Structures are given as structure tokens and as C-alpha cells.
Amino acid sequence: MIYLLDTKLTEDSHSKYIIDILCRHTMVPIEHIEIPQDPTFGELYKIVIRLFDTINSNDIILCPWAVSADEQLDELFNDLADCCWVVASAGNFNEDIEKYSPARAKNVITVACLNKSGLKAALSNWSDNKELVWIAGTNYNVGWKNSSGTSISAAVYSAFLAESIKNKDPDLLEDLVNKYTKQVRSEEHTSELQSQSTISY
């Protein structure tokens, strides 16, 4: 199960966009857990604490968002990550993740964003102290929306992680990431060639 912690699910919401990305890359069931649009730390504490009675060791908690750094929230996510897999987006502020939770929590898998050329996306947060997972997440189109950001990268990675867990194949995660990266780079190369081409009559 992938537990998606995100804002209210509507036809054009961020959570709907993330679910569409997840469904493109995995068949593992997804459960949406709503968080307020501008949650207080107290509200986030309660949501995370309730998860301890729900999760199994093979479940994934996906947090495609970042809030101001908070030690208690980090500790809750660290404890949660001892019980299951927790994936968080690094944040889209081009700053050190040390300013943001749960990205900076030591036990959480934090995913940052590459552009389609394989370089750090300008918007992506980064870290000098924690090893991040870097996944392409710019100009991702699901048909009704095209966007960029670390939440996209985190969703793609979570889907691949879910497939790896489902198939009990740790190597599958790296294989899927590499295949996705090659596909993105190929699309970028094709786009570059098309933009360079000229038509003469």
C-alpha cells in the first residue's frame, strides 16, 4: 500500500496529479490521507501518529510536500520510518533541506529533482549533509496537467519502490530508475532535435 499524505482530493488538485503519476508507474493500491491546505504542526502530529496503527512494514508513506523545519515532526517521521518506508520530497525552494520537514529527517528517503538533461532542477532543494535520491521531475505531463517539482520526483520514486517491494526484488528499484532516466533523456534529446530542425520550401 502507498499512503499518500496530501491536500484534499479533487479533480484538479495536487493530490489527484500525484495519484495519476503513481498509477502510471505502479499497480500497488494507493490510499489518500487528507491533510489541511495550511496545516498546523499539531494537525500534522495527529495525522502521523494515527498511521502507526495502520501501516505494515512493506507500506510506503509518501509526503509530496515540505513544511518549515520542526524537530517533533522529524522525530515522528523518523519513528514512522522505523516501521515502514517513508518518502518525502525535498522541496522546491532551491535551499538546503535543513530548513524543511520531513525532508531533513534522517530516516526518511528524501527525493530531489533533476531536469530532463540530468542536472539539478533550478527549483529543487538540496543538501550538504544528507544523501538524497535524485529523480527527473520536470515538465511531467499527465494529460490534464504539466508541471515540475520534487513532489513529482518523489511520486515516481515511490512507485518504483512499491514495485520493487511487491516483487520482492531489491534490484528492480535501480533497474526501473535507470529505465525511466534513459526514457526521459531520450525524450529530451528528441525534443532538442525537433527544436533545432528547420523546414524549407
Side-chain angles (χ1 to χ4, degrees):
M1 178 76 73
I2 299 174
Y3 290 95
L4 171 63
L5 276 58
D6 208 349
T7 51
K8 185 176 181 179
L9 181 59
T10 64
E11 284 303 309
D12 58 356
S13 63
H14 183 262
S15 52
K16 174 66 164 57
Y17 181 60
I18 296 300
I19 288 170
D20 285 354
I21 294 171
L22 289 168
C23 290
R24 182 173 289 183
H25 299 288
T26 184
M27 296 293 290
V28 170
I30 302 160
E31 181 169 330
H32 174 254
I33 297 177
E34 184 178 335
I35 62 172
Q37 184 67 41
D38 294 302
T40 64
F41 286 121
E43 289 171 328
L44 290 176
Y45 300 158
K46 290 178 182 178
I47 291 169
V48 175
I49 289 169
R50 284 198 295 267
L51 287 169
F52 285 94
D53 295 327
T54 305
I55 56 167
N56 295 309
S57 59
N58 287 336
D59 291 333
I60 298 170
I61 308 294
L62 171 57
C63 304
W65 42 266
V67 295
S68 299
D70 180 79
E71 288 187 15
Q72 187 172 343
L73 188 62
D74 290 338
E75 284 307 309
L76 284 171
F77 273 107
N78 280 331
D79 291 344
L80 195 61
D82 286 336
C83 303
C84 67
W85 302 86
V86 181
V87 179
S89 59
N92 299 333
F93 308 101
N94 190 29
E95 295 182 326
D96 195 313
I97 64 166
E98 287 304 309
K99 297 180 179 181
Y100 300 97
S101 295
R104 69 175 193 166
K106 63 180 180 179
N107 295 341
V108 168
I109 300 168
T110 305
V111 186
C113 183
L114 296 174
N115 62 27
K116 291 192 174 184
S117 296
L119 303 173
K120 174 190 171 299
L123 54 74
S124 182
N125 283 0
W126 43 268
S127 178
D128 287 331
N129 301 313
K130 180 179 179 179
E131 184 175 354
L132 306 182
V133 176
W134 290 87
I135 301 289
T138 55
N139 299 316
Y140 195 105
N141 196 321
V142 295
W144 62 274
K145 183 175 182 179
N146 184 71
S147 190
S148 302
T150 59
S151 61
I152 296 165
S153 301
V156 170
Y157 180 83
S158 295
F160 294 158
L161 176 60
E163 286 297 303
S164 176
I165 294 169
K166 181 183 72 173
N167 288 280
K168 299 179 181 179
D169 183 359
D171 294 332
L172 181 59
L173 174 59
E174 184 176 354
D175 291 344
L176 291 171
V177 169
N178 289 338
K179 182 179 179 181
Y180 172 73
T181 301
K182 289 179 181 178
Q183 177 186 339
V184 170
R185 294 298 301 276
S186 175
E187 291 171 356
E188 176 68 5
H189 181 64
T190 301
S191 176
E192 288 174 352
L193 290 176
Q194 289 174 344
S195 66
Q196 292 170 3
S197 66
T198 57
I199 301 174
S200 57
Y201 295 94

